[in-house]
Amino acid sequence: MTFLLMFCLPLVMAAVCFALRQQQGLVQILAIGTTMLLGWVIWQVPVDQPISIVGVSMTVRAINRLFLLAVAGSFCITFIVATRVAHGENFVVIGLIIFSLINAALTIDVQSPFLITLLLLATGLAIILAQVDLPIGTTTLLRGRAIGSGLRYLVMMLLAGVLLALCFVLADLENTPDRLSTTSLARPLLALLVVGISLRLAIIPFHSWLPDLLEDSPPLVGILIGMINLAALLFLVSAFQFLLAPGLLTLDPGRLRLVRFVALGSAIGGSLLAIHERPSLRRFLAMLLISDSGMMLFGVVSSTTGLTGALFQAFNQLVLSVVLWTAVALLERPEPTRAAAGDGWLRRRPWASGVFICGVLALLGIPPFNGFASRTLLYQGAAEEGRGYLVALLIATMLGAYAFALVLRDHFLGRAPASLPEEDLTDFRGLGLPPPPPQRTEPLGATTVAVALLGICLVIGLYPPLVLDPIIEAVRGLTFVQFL
Amino acid sequence: MTLLVASGAVIAIMRDWRFSLIAVLVNYIAQGLLIAQQQFIVPDLVIAGRQFSSLVFIKLITGIGVAIILGITALTFSREYGLEDLDEFSLAELRRAARVAQRASSQENRKFGDYIVPIWATLLVGLASFFLPRVLPLAVEMYPDQLGLARAIDFMWYWQVFIGLISLVLATDILKLGLGLLLCLSGLDLLYTTLANRINILALGTLSLVTLLLALAIAYLSGLLYGRFKTLNLSETERLK
């Protein structure tokens, strides 16, 4: 019953919110209440007690509960922020549907990977609707590029879903006792899994959809993408457990090294691209996330320490994506006057700028924020595998820090912002139309929530065992690590 | 099997959405019939004295649902929604888009040459689907005692996935792109239904649901694109950055 509540309640509430979508205030209150209630339900679910629904086994393990709670909390905060930040008409509805799908994907047992793949595919379809969703009563047209990036995302996610599903059908075939051929399917299995997950996590060279999508979508959609990426990373861990532990897939050192190189390439390449993409705050952030995903992928295929670091970093990325995209939304709010040259964000939007800067520092693993502990574990995991890996990860971090220093100089300290949407300033000039109401101050509610979330990052950074202990416990139970 | 191949080829080659939508419906019906012929699928329904598997009905309902969704979308492209909320800029932009689209459609002159690449690509897909099962036979390993059936299954799922990919690559409009995605998903569906050790009804139901959601997403995006640019041409999404 509790499990059904976790999946069905958000879906039912999504339907209710869709019917009431003209009354956004009520819809947001309902959504916040739903996420709070479900957070409490998840807290009450007994751990490690599997149940079966229509032949599918479901369990909540300690690690899953941690991430389920983090997802519920992130949705709750996102819906609170949505009361003060521009978003699409159906954002709350789509958010609740994604919440339900992620709950299901994190609860279904690893023995049904095909079903989890389909649920992740469905989350991708939902994101596209959020991407092209316009606010109620908007007077402007949707940009053609937004439809284009949505379509690209649709194609990428569907291909990723087909590849992953194909991988698990092949795994099923490999597991058939009376198979005719003795040819091993290990190589195609690994290729399908790695390419499928790389497409989902935007690992280089499958990354181009992420910056385009984040650039053309409302800022809060970035948080939803962060949540789906978290689910995809956890699914990769489950997939390795499903494939490696029973011996369906064997990883020889050569293949493992190849996957590590791909991950390191993404970590370094993402940081390099962040330097190149610094004129746009959103594209810069997308590149940093690509670099971070590369590091997490490396952690998953390195060692126990690396895997622990990757899971911890995934948790941090989820929390930080809420912080960073809220800050971006606050920074991009329309201004009454055009900024003077040399008048950076830090002067005009001090709170939002502070949140953004601290969020990026946390993502880069700078102490005392939460990213420091997870990045340290990733470095430790890399050092265990070889000094070269450690050097590569450190180079990626330094390049990311350099890109951020340039962004800080260009956007926050000195020059006028380049990423401010032009239509906010130009729509009404010279036409006799009334200008939008001036918004001189930063919205107190959303800023307070972002600062409070940053406080949580600081607490986790100062006392990592809060999150780390259940992750360490969970990693002990993952038997596939011994095959890496 | 012939129906499945022919409908896939029509989707990849033809540009007219009327032919493509009929081909999609035929494709799903043919897939249902192909599954109905398989001996390993246990019939659990009796209709008019004949035994059927509920799997066949799931496929048929999915296919009809997809065809209806895309058909309704195609028939209602020209309707205008929410114009009363738009400002002068946006209305002017819409009028300009309509002029551009009208000019482009009047200049469009379909030649046989436009079909050469799709025809050759379809032939290549046919060859690949014929020879790849020799390299990586999956159904043959599962059903070694029914060699003919196994070869047909292998050919069919390779064909569906590859023809879907080719349609994606060659797509110039959003509807064709969507049909390519649907064919890829349909190939996966065929593979799972015929080769999975334990078919889970929840997984099959979810797969059908995802297929219908994909059709809805394509319909919605098509409506958006047409509403914005008065054309389904994908090149328009790169304009007006």
Side-chain angles (χ1 to χ4, degrees):
Chain A
M1 182 64 192
T2 321
F3 282 86
L4 281 178
L5 198 64
M6 281 165 60
F7 321 132
C8 296
L9 183 65
L11 287 181
V12 172
M13 291 312 292
V16 172
C17 290
F18 183 73
L20 298 172
R21 66 187 182 283
Q22 294 295 325
Q23 299 169 42
Q24 280 291 311
L26 179 62
V27 161
Q28 279 153 355
I29 290 170
L30 283 175
I32 292 165
T34 307
T35 49
M36 282 178 166
L37 177 66
L38 279 173
W40 180 78
V41 168
I42 292 164
W43 185 255
Q44 299 298 320
V45 172
V47 175
D48 289 335
Q49 287 185 19
I51 61 148
S52 181
I53 299 174
V54 205
V56 175
S57 176
M58 296 180 180
T59 331
V60 170
R61 301 188 194 286
I63 178 92
N64 291 22
R65 188 161 74 167
L66 175 75
F67 283 106
L68 283 168
L69 283 171
V71 168
S74 301
F75 267 111
C76 184
I77 291 164
T78 308
F79 292 143
I80 293 172
V81 171
T83 58
R84 290 288 174 271
V85 165
H87 57 82
E89 181 179 357
N90 296 304
F91 175 76
V92 171
V93 176
I94 295 165
L96 285 171
I97 292 171
I98 291 176
F99 185 29
S100 165
L101 292 170
I102 291 179
N103 279 351
L106 293 185
T107 321
I108 290 172
D109 196 80
V110 64
Q111 296 304 319
S112 308
F114 188 81
L115 188 56
I116 303 174
T117 306
L118 293 176
L119 292 172
L120 288 178
L121 179 54
T123 58
L125 294 180
I127 283 284
I128 295 149
L129 300 183
Q131 152 85 359
V132 293
D133 195 21
L134 284 171
I136 297 173
T138 185
T139 58
T140 52
L141 288 168
L142 184 68
R143 280 195 276 184
R145 212 174 58 169
I147 304 175
S149 54
L151 275 173
R152 263 195 297 281
Y153 180 70
L154 177 69
V155 173
M156 290 298 176
M157 289 307 105
L158 196 113
L159 287 181
V162 168
L163 291 177
L164 287 172
L166 198 57
C167 167
F168 296 113
V169 174
L170 290 189
D172 211 19
L173 190 66
E174 180 86 342
N175 212 12
T176 308
D178 50 351
R179 252 183 81 203
L180 184 67
S181 160
T182 52
T183 316
S184 170
L185 295 172
R187 203 172 285 181
L189 272 179
L190 182 66
L192 290 168
L193 181 67
V194 170
V195 176
I197 285 291
S198 299
L199 275 165
R200 283 217 72 109
L201 290 176
I203 298 291
I204 292 174
F206 308 103
H207 67 289
S208 63
W209 62 266
L210 184 64
D212 288 347
L213 188 75
L214 290 176
E215 193 178 28
D216 297 322
S217 56
L220 294 187
V221 173
I223 302 176
L224 300 183
I225 294 168
M227 289 184 199
I228 293 175
N229 276 2
L230 166 87
L233 189 90
L234 291 176
F235 176 60
L236 175 67
V237 174
S238 302
F240 270 134
Q241 179 68 14
F242 175 73
L243 294 170
L244 284 170
L248 286 173
L249 179 65
T250 45
L251 282 177
D252 63 48
R255 286 181 212 162
L256 198 58
R257 209 175 297 133
L258 183 68
V259 181
R260 285 176 186 163
F261 284 156
V262 169
L264 288 176
S266 188
I268 296 173
S271 296
L272 278 172
L273 288 169
I275 298 172
H276 179 255
E277 299 284 6
R278 66 182 188 275
S280 161
L281 217 54
R282 287 175 177 225
R283 292 186 78 87
F284 160 77
L285 208 50
M287 293 307 173
L288 276 194
L289 291 173
I290 288 168
S291 174
D292 203 46
S293 296
M295 286 199 189
M296 287 194 286
L297 179 62
F298 177 83
V300 171
V301 292
S302 61
S303 61
T304 310
T305 317
L307 178 61
T308 311
L311 289 173
F312 193 7
Q313 184 66 16
F315 177 89
N316 290 336
Q317 204 191 74
L318 173 70
V319 178
L320 289 171
S321 70
V322 182
V323 171
L324 288 166
W325 290 109
T326 302
V328 169
L330 293 174
L331 287 171
E332 288 182 350
R333 278 164 63 89
E335 291 186 295
T337 52
R338 184 176 281 279
D343 203 4
W345 285 122
L346 202 55
R347 183 175 294 196
R348 300 194 327 276
R349 299 272 162 97
W351 284 100
S353 302
V355 168
F356 185 87
I357 291 167
C358 292
V360 175
L361 289 176
L363 192 66
L364 289 170
I366 307 295
F369 294 104
N370 51 348
F372 176 65
S374 52
R375 283 275 174 119
T376 308
L377 283 169
L378 283 171
Y379 299 145
Q380 199 181 327
E384 285 169 12
E385 297 303 315
R387 205 174 292 167
Y389 293 125
L390 175 64
V391 171
L393 286 191
L394 288 174
I395 288 173
T397 304
M398 281 191 284
L399 287 171
Y402 176 64
F404 180 54
L406 295 176
V407 165
L408 209 57
R409 184 196 68 187
D410 292 351
H411 293 269
F412 290 90
L413 295 176
R415 297 178 198 168
S419 58
L420 189 69
E422 277 181 17
E423 58 265 42
D424 291 338
L425 293 168
T426 55
D427 271 356
F428 56 88
R429 282 185 300 155
L431 294 162
L433 297 173
Q439 294 164 323
R440 289 178 188 284
T441 54
E442 298 179 81
L444 187 66
T447 312
T448 310
V449 169
V451 172
L453 207 54
L454 210 54
I456 294 173
C457 293
L458 198 61
V459 170
I460 296 171
L462 293 172
Y463 189 66
L466 271 177
V467 176
L468 200 51
D469 282 351
I471 292 177
I472 291 172
E473 196 58 40
V475 170
R476 276 198 202 114
L478 294 170
T479 49
F480 81 86
V481 186
Q482 58 187 292
F483 299 103
L484 291 174
Chain B
M1 187 170 150
T2 314
L3 275 179
L4 214 57
V5 174
S7 55
V10 167
I11 292 170
I13 296 168
M14 301 303 281
R15 288 182 162 198
D16 194 317
W17 62 267
R18 294 171 194 87
F19 291 116
S20 301
L21 286 187
I22 293 168
V24 160
L25 182 62
V26 172
N27 193 280
Y28 277 100
I29 291 172
Q31 203 180 329
L33 292 175
L34 184 79
I35 289 168
Q37 288 170 359
Q38 312 310 320
Q39 292 164 9
F40 52 84
I41 291 176
V42 187
D44 50 3
L45 291 173
V46 180
I47 296 172
R50 292 196 67 177
Q51 291 187 318
F52 294 96
S53 164
S54 48
L55 283 181
V56 178
F57 281 92
I58 291 176
K59 306 284 173 218
L60 288 179
I61 290 167
T62 310
I64 292 168
V66 166
I68 288 174
I69 290 167
L70 294 180
I72 290 173
T73 311
L75 290 171
T76 54
F77 275 147
S78 52
R79 291 207 186 151
E80 306 280 6
Y81 296 100
L83 290 187
E84 61 280 2
D85 293 331
L86 295 179
D87 60 17
E88 279 303 315
F89 280 121
S90 307
L91 289 171
E93 181 56 39
L94 279 183
R95 284 194 291 272
R96 196 194 62 81
R99 279 197 303 277
V100 171
Q102 197 176 12
R103 208 164 38 235
S105 86
S106 64
Q107 286 168 357
E108 195 177 45
N109 188 12
R110 281 184 196 167
K111 303 182 292 283
F112 178 72
D114 295 339
Y115 293 99
I116 288 178
V117 174
I119 288 170
W120 277 107
T122 307
L123 285 174
L124 278 177
V125 166
L127 286 175
S129 309
F130 184 76
F131 287 111
L132 260 175
R134 268 76 179 159
V135 183
L136 191 64
L138 300 181
V140 172
E141 294 191 10
M142 284 287 280
Y143 312 110
D145 44 346
Q146 302 172 53
L147 212 57
L149 163 73
R151 288 220 166 114
I153 291 173
D154 268 340
F155 175 82
M156 288 323 306
W157 84 262
Y158 274 116
W159 167 263
Q160 289 281 90
V161 171
F162 285 140
I163 205 78
L165 287 176
I166 282 294
S167 300
L168 272 182
V169 173
L170 297 176
T172 52
D173 65 73
I174 189 168
L175 209 57
K176 179 79 95 187
L177 184 114
L179 293 177
L181 293 174
L182 283 167
L183 279 179
C184 283
L185 208 55
S186 153
L188 179 72
D189 193 344
L190 191 64
L191 183 72
Y192 179 72
T193 314
T194 50
L195 292 193
N197 270 335
R198 291 162 287 136
I199 296 176
N200 183 280
I201 196 75
L202 193 61
L204 266 181
T206 312
L207 191 53
S208 289
L209 198 63
V210 167
T211 306
L212 288 172
L213 285 175
L214 177 64
L216 279 172
I218 293 159
Y220 183 61
L221 289 172
S222 304
L224 273 181
L225 190 68
Y226 194 86
R228 178 70 182 80
F229 295 110
K230 307 297 169 203
T231 173
L232 293 180
N233 205 321
L234 287 171
S235 60
E236 296 300 324
T237 59
E238 294 302 320
R239 283 204 305 121
L240 298 172
K241 296 196 175 185

